[in-house]
Amino acid sequence: DIAGSDPFGRWFDAIKRFVDYLDYFFLNETQLALLTTKEKIVYGVKVLIDAGVINVIVKLGPDGCIIYDSKMKSITVPTVPLPVVDTTRSGDSFDAAYVLGLRKDWDPVKCAQFANVVAGCNCCKLGATAGVPDFDTAMEKIAEFYGIE
């Protein structure tokens, strides 16, 4: 996405003055490395936290995600085992689902579990949104995979 279209590495310099307004920054590990020029996730996240971002959520594809808070405390949330057909827009599905969880005042882990389920289901069908489940289906899958209601 945005970091991938910055071959000269100037994008982060352009947004530095705005990042302290970000409560949540969602990106995958490739975007993080391109944006911060740090290969290790923890070092890339530290660049963002030091710049003022409060929470960084790093999407790891089939490995789930890592949530970092402003104190660099991290929680890894594994994904769910679902058959992958097409990953188009699955990252966007993850982001939207996580934000919905925030709006419902869920804790970060439940937000990530919900986001993992929604993004994972989206990957089960061909197309950008064909696999996105409805809310009740996503909640059933959370109970099934993570054992929570």
Side-chain angles (χ1 to χ4, degrees):
D1 290 64
I2 50 174
S5 62
D6 182 23
F8 302 108
R10 292 182 252 174
W11 191 82
F12 187 66
D13 287 336
I15 67 159
K16 270 186 186 175
R17 62 186 171 164
F18 302 108
V19 295
D20 61 337
Y21 294 103
L22 295 178
D23 291 336
Y24 294 88
F25 200 145
F26 298 90
L27 62 175
N28 65 41
E29 56 191 317
T30 301
Q31 293 166 332
L32 179 66
L34 289 169
L35 181 65
T36 64
T37 69
K38 305 294 181 193
E39 290 300 316
K40 290 195 175 272
I41 290 173
V42 68
Y43 297 134
V45 169
K46 184 158 179 20
V47 168
L48 297 176
I49 297 293
D50 287 349
V53 178
I54 297 172
N55 299 280
V56 178
I57 294 85
V58 182
K59 298 173 280 189
L60 306 173
D63 296 321
C65 66
I66 307 173
I67 306 161
Y68 287 88
D69 68 14
S70 61
K71 295 176 183 157
M72 292 297 295
K73 179 183 171 198
S74 67
I75 303 167
T76 300
V77 181
T79 193
V80 296
L82 294 167
V84 175
V85 174
D86 182 5
T87 62
T88 302
R89 309 280 26 124
S90 60
D92 295 329
S93 299
F94 178 99
D95 301 349
Y98 194 102
V99 171
L100 177 63
L102 291 173
R103 297 282 301 156
K104 292 186 168 293
D105 292 322
W106 292 345
D107 66 74
V109 171
K110 187 170 182 180
C111 289
Q113 290 169 331
F114 183 72
N116 281 340
V117 163
V118 170
C121 288
N122 192 37
C123 293
C124 292
K125 293 189 179 175
L126 188 62
T129 60
V132 174
D134 62 49
F135 182 80
D136 291 335
T137 300
M139 294 306 292
E140 289 170 11
K141 291 201 178 293
I142 285 176
E144 175 185 345
F145 292 119
Y146 295 109
I148 62 171
E149 299 288 328

